[in-house]
Amino acid sequence: MKYHIIATFTALVWGSTLVSSKVLLTAGLTPAEIMTCRFSLAYILMWILYPHTHKIDDWHDEFIFFLLGFFGGTLYFLTENTALYYTQSTNVALICATVPIVTALASHLFIKGERFTYPFFIGSTIAFIGVVMVILNGTLVLNLNPKGDLLTIAAVTSWTLYCIFQKKLHKKYSTLFVTRNIFFYGVLTMLPYHLLIDPFNFPMEGFSSPIVWGNLCFLGLVASGLCYYFFNLAIEHLGVITSNKYIYLLPLVTILVASIVLDEQITKYTIIGTILIIGGLWGSSLKNFRQK
């Protein structure tokens, strides 16, 4: 039960991170700067919580650590946070709510012993209709800029790969050690991006703002450091599919926080789409897997 509780807590915290990121974007930080700051803070926290080293068994494990940092850190956050430039945080959260379905498909293909049934297809279809309603927001003409939606889809794919690769290491190393290495490679793989594409230009005096450092501490210490560790624990003890089901809660939290903090409008199409997405994703989890 405690792993279900920490998975729920993680989903509730992550539901508000898009709003917090958008506040930082408004303050002048770039998506890459936000990701580098939050993962650096998380890495420091992990060293405080677990100041130990382990010998890596072979280069294959080290490469998986690298992939975890890249997909679960660099690529995921760059695509997700950049999407906030082009669409509302509620849209990003609702598209990201399809993670359980995409993860289920990937698990079906790459994790032996998992099969889905008709409730999965029915629920995922309902959820897809809900996503379409939210993206179109009542318009029948596709005249929206697709950049934000495509970037969010890339983020969903990246997170799915992170979950699949993470499953390969949880039996071999401490969860705290795995989480710390994820942050290390997340920051490391971000450095070429800073050097070649987007230099770190945010002024140091900007960090004196309570809004900036407060949101960075929340994203780095709580949403990244603590919640990545919690989610990795959930994957270890509950499995990839069960852990990702709690992502169903993210859109509800994001919509509520965004309406309060960012004054984003909640339309009837957003409400109907949210109901369809949450209902469809929940329905897709009803006996949609059997273990062999």
Side-chain angles (χ1 to χ4, degrees):
M1 178 60 67
K2 68 178 181 180
Y3 297 109
H4 288 279
I5 293 174
I6 65 174
T8 302
F9 171 79
T10 298
L12 294 177
V13 172
W14 282 352
S16 62
T17 57
L18 292 176
V19 177
S20 188
S21 294
K22 197 149 192 174
V23 170
L24 292 174
L25 290 173
T26 304
L29 278 88
T30 66
E33 290 170 344
I34 294 172
M35 183 268 174
T36 301
C37 289
R38 65 182 288 181
F39 265 42
S40 297
L41 289 171
Y43 181 67
I44 294 172
L45 176 64
M46 287 298 101
W47 263 111
I48 295 174
L49 295 178
Y50 193 76
H52 308 288
T53 59
H54 288 283
K55 181 180 179 181
I56 305 300
D57 289 346
D58 53 48
W59 68 268
H60 180 263
D61 288 352
E62 195 73 59
F63 183 63
I64 293 179
F65 279 125
F66 171 83
L67 293 178
L68 288 173
F70 177 70
F71 287 118
T74 301
L75 187 60
Y76 175 76
F77 282 103
L78 278 180
T79 52
E80 183 188 60
N81 288 335
T82 304
L84 294 173
Y85 279 127
Y86 304 104
T87 188
Q88 290 187 334
S89 58
T90 50
N91 283 38
V92 175
L94 288 166
I95 296 174
C96 284
T98 61
V99 161
I101 288 178
V102 179
T103 305
L105 287 170
S107 299
H108 172 71
L109 294 173
F110 300 110
I111 298 180
K112 183 180 294 185
E114 294 186 347
R115 299 290 185 269
F116 47 77
T117 58
Y118 288 110
F120 171 82
F121 291 105
I122 295 173
S124 61
T125 300
I126 295 173
F128 177 76
I129 295 173
V131 170
V132 172
M133 288 191 66
V134 171
I135 294 175
L136 297 182
N137 198 24
T139 63
L140 298 179
V141 180
L142 293 174
N143 57 359
L144 300 177
N145 190 326
K147 288 183 179 180
D149 301 325
L150 292 175
L151 284 168
T152 309
I153 291 172
V156 170
T157 304
S158 181
W159 182 256
T160 301
L161 292 172
Y162 165 80
C163 292
I164 297 299
F165 285 119
Q166 203 277 338
K167 187 73 173 178
K168 296 179 179 294
L169 293 178
H170 75 275
K171 292 183 179 180
K172 303 180 67 173
Y173 304 100
S174 162
T175 304
L176 278 170
F177 178 71
V178 171
T179 307
R180 192 180 71 200
N181 272 8
I182 290 169
F183 296 136
F184 171 77
Y185 280 110
V187 175
L188 185 65
T189 54
M190 182 59 71
L191 293 180
Y193 184 84
H194 281 305
L195 293 174
L196 302 175
I197 300 175
D198 183 18
F200 203 107
N201 292 322
F202 189 71
M204 292 302 298
E205 57 268 21
F207 291 104
S208 63
S209 169
I211 293 178
V212 172
W213 63 257
N215 279 280
L216 282 177
C217 286
F218 167 72
L219 291 174
L221 302 178
V222 181
S224 291
L226 189 62
C227 287
Y228 261 72
Y229 171 61
F230 280 173
F231 193 76
N232 290 340
L233 276 178
I235 289 179
E236 178 181 350
H237 294 276
L238 301 178
V240 173
I241 305 301
T242 300
S243 300
N244 276 283
K245 289 177 183 177
Y246 289 95
I247 292 179
Y248 301 163
L249 298 173
L250 267 65
L252 298 177
V253 179
T254 303
I255 289 173
L256 178 61
V257 176
S259 64
I260 297 173
V261 178
L262 302 179
D263 198 28
E264 291 188 357
Q265 184 180 6
I266 299 179
T267 68
K268 63 180 180 180
Y269 300 103
T270 303
I271 296 174
I272 296 173
T274 301
I275 294 173
L276 290 174
I277 290 173
I278 301 302
L281 292 176
W282 176 79
S284 69
S285 69
L286 296 177
K287 298 181 180 179
N288 63 334
F289 284 89
R290 66 176 184 272
Q291 298 291 332
K292 287 187 176 181

